Amino acid sequence: MVAGRTPRVRGRTRGRRLVIPIALPLLDEDEANAAREAVLSGWVSQGPQVAAFEREFAALVDAPFACAVSNCTTALHLALTAINIAPGDEVITASHSFIATANCIRYCGATPVFVDIDPETYNIDPARVAEAITPRTRAILAIHQMGMPCDLSALVALAKRHDLVLIEDAACAAGSEIRIDEQWDRIGKPHGDVACFSFHPRKVITTGEGGMLTTSHAALEGKFKLLRQHGMSVPDTVRHGSAQVIFENYVLVGYNYRMTDMQAAVGRKQLLKLPDIVARRRAVASHYAELLGNIEGLRLPFEPDWARSNWQSYCVRLPDRVDQRDVMQKLLDQGIATRRGIMCSHREKPYADEKRLHDLRQSELAQDHAILLPIYAQMTEESVVRVADSLRAIVQ
Ligand SMILES: *Cc1c(COP(=O)(O)O)cnc(C)c1O
């Protein structure tokens, strides 16, 4: 990548003001050329680019295995399917997440058991998870929400003690790090059993749509690769490369969850940029912290000393005296896009009747009183100051 080269920001205007977007992917000629080469290679579905992307992703996060898929929702579905989650099983997770987290449990016919979050980190509270374990519990689906690592040490210990599978919804967490056993690891190095990533444009690196599973279990890796391609015993790449005629068979009911080679080619370029993207996002986050530190009642995101967020989102909890929608509208009127706090699945129709062990008060408060501020790698210092000044003027 050429340092300092940024993509054109299309003049998205509201009235006559340039809008500071909530997010912006960092894509340039590198990705455009990579996609072009993949197209011209003649191999456009899952092929050599996907295989290379998997190897490079595995190396980056220090995972023995990585399997690319069409998005993180399908990654989560494969993770749960591969460990045979079925009707009657309970999977403990947070309601406070994008709805795909809960949906993938329902795809398997299983029951999501929602527990509350820690209001400081917006991540699942391990003490609440412990309370929710029953004889039907098969797995914990923990989220690294907004890129902030959740308390994996506590969750790994809990999963071991109760013989549960630990799956990480790491959709937002490519490039985030966690300190475990006195060592910093990237999220995706298998501490739990499976970690699932997203490459949607709203995350820190993107392939348009895309997902990745990492694991240290060879048996699970084998299942992911079967399940993502119709349960087909011989992948296309092997059949095409063989001098012998090969007849494939279909050993289980699989899916078509493949990533394309165009996407993987883009993803490989994004991986090269990931350390720089994360460094730039961290700079924006510290700048926000500096500028917003002394507004009464405004709570900044908390990064535990064992966590390094990739700052997929920058979430602030508004003072009780202000109204969330009103603050967001006033910012939008000034050309600044924001989003409200992460949604709660239990407040949406498909999950409204789900039984709950305790109320989900912290999750609801976070949805109703937090807002996400613009953050992206190419955000200028001037824009950060503009957002901070506007927010201060509105909430003070
Ligand atoms: C974005 C997101 C997903 C879904 O990812 P897709 O790649 O869009 O399917 C799942 N879980 C969380 C926490 C997310 O933020």
Side-chain angles (χ1 to χ4, degrees):
M1 188 188 68
V2 178
R5 196 169 68 191
T6 53
R8 286 184 300 273
V9 180
R10 265 178 227 101
R12 285 208 273 156
T13 55
R14 234 192 115 72
R16 304 181 56 192
R17 271 207 182 81
L18 186 71
V19 172
I20 299 180
I22 182 74
L24 194 62
L26 184 60
L27 295 164
D28 59 31
E29 299 292 333
D30 298 338
E31 285 79 7
N33 287 331
R36 175 185 157 84
E37 280 167 30
V39 167
L40 295 176
S41 78
W43 194 298
V44 288
S45 187
Q46 177 183 288
Q49 292 296 328
V50 167
F53 186 34
E54 289 168 343
R55 278 196 303 277
E56 289 161 8
F57 193 89
L60 182 87
V61 303
D62 197 12
F65 304 107
C67 176
V69 289
S70 49
N71 56 64
C72 186
T73 308
T74 53
L76 291 164
H77 183 213
L78 284 198
L80 294 175
T81 304
I83 61 164
N84 304 314
I85 295 293
D89 292 341
E90 292 178 355
V91 178
I92 301 174
T93 193
S95 166
H96 183 263
S97 184
F98 183 57
I99 198 160
T101 310
N103 282 349
C104 69
I105 298 169
R106 279 279 184 82
Y107 294 164
C108 298
T111 306
V113 176
F114 295 130
V115 299
D116 213 357
I117 55 163
D118 170 348
E120 296 289 325
T121 60
Y122 302 98
N123 271 324
I124 196 164
D125 183 341
R128 298 297 205 170
V129 175
E131 290 166 12
I133 295 170
T134 75
R136 286 173 175 261
T137 309
R138 286 280 323 283
I140 301 168
L141 176 47
I143 305 113
H144 301 296
Q145 196 52 263
M146 299 181 272
M148 185 66 73
C150 67
D151 190 352
L152 270 187
S153 303
L155 293 169
V156 167
L158 202 56
K160 280 215 176 97
R161 194 153 66 241
H162 295 273
D163 196 20
L164 304 175
V165 180
L166 177 58
I167 296 173
E168 297 165 59
D169 181 342
C172 300
S176 300
E177 294 169 280
I178 188 163
R179 194 180 65 215
I180 290 190
D181 301 331
E182 298 310 310
Q183 180 187 317
W184 285 98
D185 293 328
R186 283 213 171 90
I187 295 296
K189 178 171 176 167
H191 294 290
D193 296 282
V194 188
C196 301
F197 294 85
S198 170
F199 306 121
H200 183 272
R202 188 71 176 80
K203 321 298 184 186
V204 297
I205 54 172
T206 185
T207 57
E209 298 281 349
M212 187 76 77
L213 302 107
T214 62
T215 186
S216 57
H217 304 297
L220 284 183
E221 163 73 1
K223 271 200 170 170
F224 300 153
K225 292 208 159 144
L226 269 180
L227 285 165
R228 75 169 168 185
Q229 191 169 358
H230 309 289
M232 190 172 165
S233 59
V234 189
D236 298 332
T237 37
V238 173
R239 221 166 19 154
H240 278 262
S242 173
Q244 235 88 81
V245 170
I246 301 179
F247 290 165
E248 83 285 11
N249 42 42
Y250 299 85
V251 296
L252 44 73
V253 177
Y255 304 89
N256 179 355
Y257 285 171
R258 288 182 298 244
M259 176 181 272
T260 69
D261 256 26
M262 281 94 75
Q263 292 169 311
V266 168
R268 295 179 69 194
K269 298 298 177 191
Q270 288 275 282
L271 272 192
L272 296 176
K273 293 189 170 91
L274 181 62
D276 177 53
I277 289 175
V278 172
R280 295 209 221 173
R281 301 180 80 100
R282 291 187 68 83
V284 173
S286 6
H287 200 184
Y288 269 142
E290 212 175 280
L291 296 168
L292 298 171
N294 58 355
I295 299 178
E296 203 197 315
L298 185 84
R299 240 198 284 161
L300 301 183
F302 172 70
E303 189 176 52
D305 64 1
W306 44 261
R308 287 186 194 143
S309 181
N310 64 359
W311 298 105
Q312 183 270 336
S313 288
Y314 194 86
C315 180
V316 296
R317 178 81 169 262
L318 296 171
D320 292 339
R321 61 180 177 273
V322 299
D323 176 73
Q324 182 192 48
R325 185 188 287 268
D326 181 55
V327 172
M328 292 174 70
Q329 186 62 53
K330 283 180 173 146
L331 285 166
L332 191 58
D333 292 343
Q334 296 179 38
I336 297 167
T338 58
R339 296 287 181 272
R340 69 170 168 172
I342 301 295
M343 65 175 294
C344 290
S345 296
H346 75 277
R347 285 170 148 181
E348 300 301 323
K349 200 165 164 238
Y351 298 99
D353 299 329
E354 216 63 77
K355 80 171 157 62
R356 293 192 286 277
L357 200 66
H358 53 255
D359 69 38
L360 300 168
R361 184 163 168 71
Q362 296 305 336
S363 304
E364 293 181 355
L365 286 172
Q367 181 182 10
D368 296 344
H369 296 281
I371 63 170
L372 313 186
L373 302 181
I375 188 165
Y376 41 95
Q378 57 277 55
M379 193 170 178
T380 62
E381 289 196 12
E382 190 195 348
S383 295
V384 179
V385 170
R386 207 178 117 199
V387 173
D389 286 351
S390 300
L391 182 62
R392 173 186 299 278
I394 292 165
V395 304
Q396 231 165 18

